[in-house]
Amino acid sequence: MAMASIAAMAQDAYIFTSFREPSTGGMHYLYSYDGLKWDTIPGEWMRPEIGNEQLYVDAFTGEAVVPHFAPDDRVFRDPSITQGPDGTFHLVWTMQWYGAKGFGYAHSKDLINWSKQIAVPVMQNNPTNNVWAPEIFYDDELKEYFIIWASMLDPKKRTSADNLGTNSAQRLWYTTTKDFKRFAPAKPYYDPGFNSIDAFLLKRASKDYVLVVKDNRKPGFSNLFCVFSDSPHGPFHTADNAPRGKTPTTTFGKTYSEGPCAVNLGKEWVIYFDQYRPQSFGAVSTTDFKTFTPIPERISVPLEHKHGTIVKVKREIVENLLKEAAKRGK
């Protein structure tokens, strides 16, 4: 490896966004210098200020429902982050278990000071009871941000494959934006014909995109798989062209795995995922997203960490966060 490349790598680090159960606290961070061994940056770095404020009307029954938590408890889950070309970090998160028609959004230049939080009501005109696990992705060719999430499907529209599980059925939707002021109308994104959430989009090269998805049927499924496309807009297909409604044959992650995110570490990609029964973090290494090698012996993730996403940053970002954490701890 050239000396210039080694020097550049020495200036880089990684931030892993996180939350803690029962998800009424704020955002936490992990940091790493190699993308494998992670440590906690102490403290909460953004407290939730929006969502979970009042009764909501069930979109399918018409009944008024009390939010999952008390109305004065704000929910903060699934923090997903990316950095734009101007250096600004953009964050989206789940702001309510049920009743929300949108996701939370805020931005920052340093991961310490955050903008005013806003709710983006992407499903205002579509019947559903939730907007879960928004994932943000920036496409450097289209110069556009993609936000992908899961929303509840009308029970009357469930497939036979949906009914293999005992929980509610979700489907993936998305929107795009260039400025976080104007958002494209929400559209269905990827539908495998069964309950699916936690879609993480990544780009390997021009016209080469991978979507990592959770099969959300429980019990008996709840694992992860990958689909492919030549566009971030889709459509997506499986590596083996599995029929609609069938789990793709290439799956990974133990039963009860969720919240996948991937990071490129040179010759390999590492996909992290939250194994929540029992609570631990798992990871696999892959070069083609068709074969996956578990690497539990290579990673170290603090036990209290709950899933978010990873962003590569300049090392000074981490150093400044650690200094600020030390000051706050005095």
Side-chain angles (χ1 to χ4, degrees):
M1 182 180 293
M3 292 301 294
S5 297
I6 294 174
M9 289 177 62
Q11 299 302 313
D12 292 328
Y14 302 88
I15 290 288
F16 204 155
T17 58
S18 178
F19 69 100
R20 302 285 185 268
E21 294 291 11
S23 71
T24 53
M27 181 164 59
H28 294 256
Y29 296 133
L30 304 184
Y31 75 99
S32 174
Y33 295 123
D34 64 2
L36 297 168
K37 306 297 184 183
W38 298 88
D39 290 304
T40 299
I41 299 177
E44 290 182 337
W45 296 92
M46 191 180 71
R47 295 282 300 176
E49 298 173 351
I50 56 176
N52 224 56
E53 297 175 354
Q54 58 190 4
L55 297 176
Y56 71 91
V57 176
D58 187 298
F60 308 120
T61 68
E63 298 177 355
V65 183
V66 177
H68 189 74
F69 290 100
D72 58 350
D73 276 340
R74 303 292 187 261
V75 174
F76 182 91
R77 295 181 64 87
D78 317 308
S80 175
I81 195 169
T82 193
Q83 189 172 27
D86 66 349
T88 300
F89 294 97
H90 300 278
L91 180 78
V92 296
W93 67 93
T94 303
M95 65 179 190
Q96 194 166 324
W97 269 104
Y98 293 107
K101 292 287 189 177
F103 53 78
Y105 167 74
H107 59 85
S108 173
K109 284 289 189 181
D110 57 9
L111 300 183
I112 297 173
N113 303 290
W114 287 91
S115 68
K116 180 181 177 180
Q117 300 171 29
I118 64 170
V120 183
V122 286
M123 293 295 280
Q124 196 69 28
N125 299 317
N126 296 285
T128 192
N129 288 327
N130 64 296
V131 171
W132 281 355
E135 286 286 350
I136 188 168
F137 167 82
Y138 178 71
D139 190 86
D140 56 348
E141 291 182 87
L142 297 178
K143 302 188 185 307
E144 197 166 34
Y145 296 89
F146 287 67
I147 301 101
I148 307 156
W149 67 90
S151 286
M152 188 184 298
L153 182 70
D154 185 335
K156 296 177 182 177
K157 296 182 179 180
R158 290 189 184 184
T159 67
S160 58
D162 283 316
N163 293 327
L164 292 176
T166 59
N167 58 329
S168 63
Q170 310 288 325
R171 289 296 189 272
L172 297 171
W173 292 69
Y174 83 118
T175 185
T176 60
T177 184
K178 291 181 180 292
D179 56 11
F180 295 92
K181 297 177 182 177
R182 295 174 297 276
F183 292 83
K187 295 180 181 179
Y189 194 53
Y190 168 64
D191 182 356
F194 54 79
N195 187 358
S196 51
I197 64 173
D198 291 358
F200 181 88
L201 181 64
L202 64 94
K203 183 177 183 176
R204 291 187 289 187
S206 182
K207 296 185 178 181
D208 185 0
Y209 297 84
V210 180
L211 190 69
V212 188
V213 186
K214 176 189 176 185
D215 180 342
N216 197 43
R217 292 173 289 179
K218 305 184 189 74
F221 295 89
S222 200
N223 52 20
L224 307 168
F225 63 94
C226 296
V227 288
F228 306 86
S229 181
D230 61 5
S231 167
H233 290 281
F236 290 89
H237 60 86
T238 61
D240 54 3
N241 293 314
R244 175 179 163 80
K246 300 291 185 181
T247 303
T249 56
T250 304
T251 61
F252 60 96
K254 296 179 181 179
T255 298
Y256 299 114
S257 293
E258 65 182 2
C261 70
V263 60
N264 180 245
L265 299 179
K267 294 182 179 180
E268 66 176 341
W269 286 82
V270 172
I271 307 175
Y272 284 92
F273 44 91
D274 192 339
Q275 300 170 144
Y276 59 98
R277 291 188 185 178
Q279 176 60 44
S280 66
F281 242 79
V284 294
S285 172
T286 186
T287 56
D288 59 6
F289 292 90
K290 299 175 184 177
T291 57
F292 307 94
T293 302
I295 54 171
E297 74 287 349
R298 292 176 57 197
I299 68 165
S300 176
V301 180
L303 286 177
E304 71 276 11
H305 176 65
K306 293 294 295 179
H307 54 272
T309 55
I310 297 169
V311 62
K312 190 174 184 178
V313 300
K314 295 298 182 183
R315 187 171 290 224
E316 66 178 319
I317 292 285
V318 170
E319 293 171 350
N320 289 338
L321 279 165
L322 290 170
K323 289 175 183 178
E324 180 66 19
K327 286 195 299 183
R328 293 182 183 187
K330 292 183 180 179

